Amino acid sequence: MKKLKLIYVLLPLLAFTSCKKDSPVKPVTPTKPVIAAVSDSVSYTIDGVTYTAGGMFSGNLSSGTEDANRKLVYPDSTNKYAYALVGKPDSVLFFEKHTIFSKSANINIFFVKKFFRQQTPLNFPGLKSVLTLFTVGKHPLAEDFEWQNSQNGIAIDAVVSDNKGYSSYNSYDGPATVVIPPGFQKNSSFEITSFVHATDGFGGYNLEAKFTVLLFNRNGEQKKLENGYIRLHIDPMYAANGI
């Protein structure tokens, strides 16, 4: 009789245990951390002096296109001031420009890339193509930006030192142009170290990069920008229906 009572006591316990085993366990989905939009900032050193600026949001953004693979043409061979930079009809150079301007540090950084015109409705590429400008890794310096426009990469200007403006590329300035032989940026570097999608309400992307660049002014005077670091919040500009 005692054995029978024991069986009756165990039956409800076994049934409850069985129910617990048969109940499906809901997986816990880990929440992804929110990535906030960063404010723009930059720091770099020239002649032992460190320049910094920060705390800015990306309202200093513009973009545009120019003819690619351009050649210098003189419509009137007797007039050296009458010239044109004429590119090939099949290509266009797209650039996105980011500006940080303050009392302590000034800089324009251009992300530059050539595209075939049939890929770029209204001369603007689509988001997928524009994002290739910001690929993590090393990017070359575009030495002939605003002249031949034959190179992809990074171009920098509006850097002020000793009350003079400096740039990293060999732009054309008519008869006053100082011609610097190609390859002058061979010892320079620009490396994008991080490019992530911001998931807070602002959207866009956060970029970080480090760089060392040779700069020169209109007179050909050279400076070396060292220990460069920039952080940008980017909302890429692109054609909605572009490739």
Side-chain angles (χ1 to χ4, degrees):
M1 195 67 179
K2 286 183 179 181
K3 289 184 180 180
L4 188 59
K5 286 183 179 179
L6 181 60
I7 290 173
Y8 286 143
V9 170
L10 289 175
L11 279 176
L13 180 61
L14 290 172
F16 176 74
T17 305
S18 177
C19 288
K20 285 188 68 178
K21 287 182 179 180
D22 293 341
S23 300
V25 178
K26 294 182 179 179
V28 178
T29 304
T31 57
K32 294 182 179 179
V34 175
I35 301 175
V38 299
S39 57
D40 297 349
S41 62
V42 68
S43 66
Y44 51 83
T45 301
I46 299 176
D47 292 337
V49 179
T50 298
Y51 301 82
T52 61
M56 305 174 185
F57 280 98
S58 189
N60 307 309
L61 164 67
S62 61
S63 65
T65 60
E66 296 180 356
D67 286 350
N69 303 315
R70 300 192 299 193
K71 290 186 177 180
L72 183 62
V73 176
Y74 289 96
D76 182 355
S77 60
T78 65
N79 185 356
K80 65 180 181 180
Y81 293 95
Y83 64 88
L85 291 167
V86 181
K88 293 185 177 180
D90 64 340
S91 299
V92 63
L93 180 135
F94 173 83
F95 64 85
E96 186 164 300
K97 171 186 173 184
H98 293 264
T99 299
I100 296 179
F101 180 82
S102 73
K103 293 181 179 180
S104 55
N106 307 313
I107 195 167
N108 290 329
I109 292 189
F110 298 84
F111 298 84
V112 176
K113 190 170 183 178
K114 296 185 297 180
F115 294 94
F116 287 111
R117 288 190 187 274
Q118 61 264 33
Q119 292 179 306
T120 56
L122 302 177
N123 287 343
F124 265 66
L127 178 60
K128 183 177 179 181
S129 295
V130 170
L131 289 179
T132 63
L133 274 69
F134 312 114
T135 305
V136 171
K138 293 185 178 180
H139 292 248
L141 276 294
E143 296 180 346
D144 65 358
F145 180 51
E146 295 187 344
W147 189 343
Q148 292 96 342
N149 283 345
S150 68
Q151 301 172 349
N152 300 331
I154 307 297
I156 294 172
D157 78 351
V159 180
V160 177
S161 178
D162 298 332
N163 295 318
K164 298 177 183 178
Y166 292 81
S167 70
S168 70
Y169 54 90
N170 212 5
S171 61
Y172 191 72
D173 190 25
T177 301
V178 176
V179 179
I180 298 178
F184 56 86
Q185 294 290 5
K186 64 180 180 181
N187 294 321
S188 300
S189 65
F190 189 98
E191 182 179 0
I192 296 176
T193 56
S194 176
F195 185 71
V196 297
H197 187 240
T199 56
D200 66 359
F202 289 97
Y205 300 83
N206 295 334
L207 178 145
E208 293 181 64
K210 58 183 181 180
F211 53 102
T212 298
V213 184
L214 180 67
L215 303 172
F216 52 91
N217 61 20
R218 290 186 175 183
N219 297 322
E221 298 170 332
Q222 297 185 2
K223 298 279 187 181
K224 189 172 184 180
L225 183 155
E226 300 178 288
N227 302 317
Y229 167 81
I230 194 162
R231 184 172 63 182
L232 297 171
H233 179 66
I234 296 176
D235 285 310
M237 304 185 78
Y238 58 94
N241 298 320
I243 296 174

